Amino acid sequence: MTAVRWTETAARDLETIRDYIAQDSPTIARMVVSRLVEATAVLRHHPDAGRIVPERGESSLRELIRAPYRIVYERRADIVVVLTVFHSARLFPADIP
């Protein structure tokens, strides 16, 4: 089983998403964030489940799509590190290797 860890950046991304949606509906905000976190559970048993990030083309940098969000993660030896979560209408973050 592969461990899944979230970076501080990815955790802040979730908070930002939650806060934005909560302006209209706190209930929906909680549901969206929960769905994003739950989506990464598959990575424990299938760390290559996501597609290779097309902007980078590196096999260790992958993403899960949970429309309209992209969950970007890096596969390391026995761990998956979630790097960022962002709206798919935005450009890929320049600070992600």
Side-chain angles (χ1 to χ4, degrees):
M1 183 181 302
T2 304
V4 177
R5 301 282 185 256
W6 288 69
T7 62
E8 287 182 31
T9 299
R12 277 193 310 271
D13 292 340
L14 288 179
E15 290 174 10
T16 301
I17 291 166
R18 182 199 62 217
D19 293 347
Y20 181 76
I21 296 171
Q23 293 175 26
D24 292 325
S25 174
T27 301
I28 298 297
R30 285 189 300 274
M31 289 172 50
V32 168
V33 169
S34 178
R35 183 175 66 110
L36 293 170
V37 172
E38 288 172 9
T40 63
V42 69
L43 300 176
R44 285 187 250 148
H45 297 287
H46 304 285
D48 290 328
R51 72 176 187 169
I52 294 172
V53 173
E55 291 89 344
R56 296 295 188 268
E58 300 169 22
S59 62
S60 64
L61 191 63
R62 296 180 168 269
E63 66 182 351
L64 296 171
I65 306 295
R66 293 300 178 268
Y69 297 100
R70 296 170 70 179
I71 304 166
V72 178
Y73 67 95
E74 183 176 29
R75 181 163 187 228
R76 299 180 184 165
D78 290 334
I79 189 171
V80 165
V81 180
V82 179
L83 302 174
T84 189
V85 181
F86 65 99
H87 196 283
S88 60
R90 300 184 68 181
L91 293 175
F92 192 85
D95 59 342
I96 300 296

